[in-house]
Amino acid sequence: MPEYAPLDLPENPKLTNNILHFARALRKAGMPVGTGRVVDAVRAVEAAGFTDKRDFYWVLHACFVNRPEHRTIFGQIFRLYWRDPRYLEHMMAMMLPAVRGVQEDRAAKPAEKRAAEALLDGVERDLPEEGSQESDEDLEIEIDATLTMSAEEKLRTLDFEQMSTEEVAQAKRMLARLELPVKPIASRRRQASHLGNRIDRARTLRAAMKQGGELHCLARAKQRPRWPNLVVLCDISGSMSQYSRVILHFLHAVSNAKGAGWAKVHAFTFGTRLTNITRHLRQRDVDAALAAAGAEAQDWEGGTRIGECLHAFNRDWSRRVMGQGAVVLLITDGLDRDDPDHLAREMERLHLSARRLIWLNPLLRWDGFAPKARGIAAMLPHVDSFRAGHSIASLEDLARTISRPDDLGEKTRMMAILAR
């Protein structure tokens, strides 16, 4: 066996154990952290020192993070483990059945619930024992049965951003069973049919010529159904990354569904640039498909340039994929700092090229949402339907209404707010 040089550890062995435990938490949260990276992290901390929190954060970040989508998870686990131990207690109280006290509850921020699950794996909550000083009268237990529902029903309405790791996996399995049906488009082309409502004169005359000019029967035809294309433009910037990953699982199921009705499904991602991931979603294995798509798109969790990306699509891809009366799904929060006039022009061109343009915006999950941002105000007049896209229930609503030309979603209400 090869011999390795002895490893010089920091003076305080507890720091090494803490780094090891921290690496295990990252691995449980889904990050590919192996033994080699732990050794590199210990050596890096020894070389950089443990005097400044910011330096310590970036030293561990350099050792454990190698993909953009892992930055949020690393940041939340670092906060819970190294910087705010009392917050870990709050996350435990939120995740496990607990007695209501004076601590105020608040919704978990992105990746916090997954980070807390990784750190609390195997930890049991200490509850008051029988005979302790706290009596039953001192405990206040609140049980709200007005909205009691099954776990699956609750998961349907849960925001993708607030889901734990296990809930995200369960949501992906539910979305894999969800269909996105579409009705055929009326076509002028016809096909032979004994039950057709029109006489096929050409076939009738050809059959008569074979019989010496005698007309024995009338050939009939019916309209040939024509199925539209589905074109998806999905925002993968930092504010949309968690939603995009779940929705791409849904699009993979739509791309590989049999009998769904779509002629073709074309998928594009955009952040700071436009990327065509259509061929990757055609792979049968969802994990391999999304891994290939992630490797193709290099701007995950980056900035957002919606206007420039739409311009690239209209210039390079519109004529190739927008035929056959395509339906376009635009999935973005609309937060763009580029020129709103340029964005409005590109949205108008996209709208004119599509049979229907449906905008899914996760920001609609907020009751008090108003289209005040410049990008949203520039895009909203050029869509046919404006709908939420933050949960399984919102995607189910999309599946029910995607073939309804009269569906406007929240556009009418948002336009009224914009006009004030």
Side-chain angles (χ1 to χ4, degrees):
M1 296 180 60
E3 295 182 0
Y4 296 97
L7 178 64
D8 296 327
L9 299 177
E11 296 181 0
N12 188 357
K14 292 184 178 180
L15 179 59
T16 304
N17 295 334
N18 288 334
I19 294 176
L20 177 60
H21 185 205
F22 177 67
R24 290 174 179 173
L26 294 177
R27 184 163 55 247
K28 292 174 183 176
M31 294 179 57
V33 176
T35 306
R37 294 195 181 184
V38 178
V39 175
D40 292 340
V42 173
R43 287 174 172 168
V45 170
E46 180 190 13
F50 188 63
T51 56
D52 184 76
K53 290 183 178 180
R54 183 179 297 274
D55 292 343
F56 182 65
Y57 174 88
W58 288 112
V59 166
L60 294 182
H61 186 281
C63 295
F64 292 127
V65 178
N66 65 341
R67 296 185 64 87
E69 57 267 26
H70 296 154
R71 294 173 183 170
T72 303
I73 299 176
F74 176 86
Q76 296 298 352
I77 293 182
F78 185 92
R79 175 188 178 187
L80 267 64
Y81 188 79
W82 296 102
R83 299 172 62 186
D84 194 356
R86 295 189 62 186
Y87 188 77
L88 182 61
E89 299 177 1
H90 167 73
M91 294 299 296
M92 173 184 280
M94 184 188 67
M95 293 170 53
L96 300 179
V99 177
R100 301 285 184 179
V102 297
Q103 183 181 14
E104 296 182 358
D105 290 338
R106 69 167 180 82
K109 292 183 179 180
E112 284 183 343
K113 196 171 183 181
R114 295 189 294 276
E117 279 188 341
L119 289 173
L120 296 175
D121 185 54
V123 178
E124 297 181 357
R125 173 70 181 254
D126 294 332
L127 296 176
E129 300 179 356
E130 296 183 2
S132 62
Q133 295 180 355
E134 296 183 3
S135 62
D136 295 341
E137 299 174 352
D138 297 331
L139 302 180
E140 181 182 354
I141 301 177
E142 296 180 3
I143 301 177
D144 185 5
T146 57
L147 295 178
T148 304
M149 60 187 72
S150 64
E152 185 169 321
E153 183 65 21
K154 183 178 180 180
L155 189 63
R156 288 180 61 255
T157 59
L158 186 62
D159 192 330
F160 292 141
E161 194 66 83
Q162 304 300 334
M163 289 183 178
S164 65
T165 306
E166 184 177 351
E167 288 170 340
V168 169
Q170 186 177 352
K172 291 176 180 178
R173 290 192 294 268
M174 293 176 62
L175 290 175
R177 302 191 300 266
L178 181 61
E179 297 181 353
L180 195 64
V182 63
K183 295 180 180 179
I185 304 174
S187 173
R188 290 180 295 178
R189 295 183 178 273
R190 292 180 174 82
Q191 62 184 15
S193 174
H194 294 292
L195 302 178
N197 56 359
R198 284 181 174 267
I199 297 176
D200 191 339
R201 290 174 293 180
R203 281 203 311 126
T204 300
L205 293 177
R206 286 197 299 268
M209 292 175 61
K210 295 179 181 180
Q211 302 296 329
E214 296 184 4
L215 188 64
H216 293 280
C217 62
L218 297 176
R220 295 186 174 274
K222 66 177 182 180
Q223 283 188 329
R224 178 186 301 174
R226 180 167 63 89
W227 305 97
N229 290 341
L230 177 64
V231 180
V232 182
L233 300 170
C234 188
D235 189 347
I236 57 173
S237 60
S239 59
M240 288 287 299
S241 59
Q242 182 62 23
Y243 298 102
S244 301
R245 290 189 183 89
V246 180
I247 291 177
L248 286 178
H249 270 262
F250 171 57
L251 294 179
H252 177 270
V254 174
S255 301
N256 293 274
K258 296 182 179 179
W262 300 102
K264 293 181 180 179
V265 178
H266 301 275
F268 298 83
T269 61
F270 67 91
T272 56
R273 66 179 185 177
L274 184 73
T275 305
N276 186 359
I277 61 170
T278 302
R279 59 190 178 92
H280 300 306
L281 293 185
R282 292 173 183 167
Q283 300 184 42
R284 300 296 299 179
D285 185 82
V286 60
D287 295 327
L290 295 185
E296 182 79 13
Q298 298 295 323
D299 51 346
W300 280 95
E301 295 191 3
T304 309
R305 302 185 65 189
I306 303 178
E308 289 298 323
C309 293
L310 290 183
H311 174 71
F313 175 81
N314 291 330
R315 181 193 61 204
D316 300 332
W317 293 100
S318 179
R319 293 187 178 182
R320 306 185 194 183
V321 302
M322 296 290 282
Q324 307 294 322
V327 176
V328 178
L329 291 182
L330 179 61
I331 306 167
T332 179
D333 53 14
L335 302 180
D336 187 29
R337 297 184 179 180
D338 287 343
D339 183 11
D341 295 332
H342 175 62
L343 178 58
R345 289 193 300 269
E346 297 301 331
M347 280 294 298
E348 182 181 11
R349 182 178 175 184
L350 179 64
H351 187 204
L352 293 174
S353 303
R355 180 167 171 260
R356 274 180 62 77
L357 175 55
I358 303 174
W359 183 6
L360 299 183
N361 193 331
L363 296 181
L364 275 176
R365 68 188 185 273
W366 306 114
D367 295 335
F369 171 78
K372 300 300 183 181
R374 295 191 307 169
I376 298 177
M379 297 168 63
L380 189 57
H382 305 291
V383 299
D384 296 306
S385 180
F386 187 49
R387 308 188 62 86
H390 65 288
S391 64
I392 298 175
S394 63
L395 296 181
E396 290 176 343
D397 291 338
L398 171 66
R400 287 190 291 265
T401 59
I402 193 170
S403 295
R404 290 172 47 189
D406 59 335
D407 175 66
L408 299 177
E410 298 291 330
K411 180 181 177 180
T412 303
R413 185 170 66 89
M414 292 296 110
M415 290 298 294
I417 297 176
L418 193 61
R420 293 175 185 174

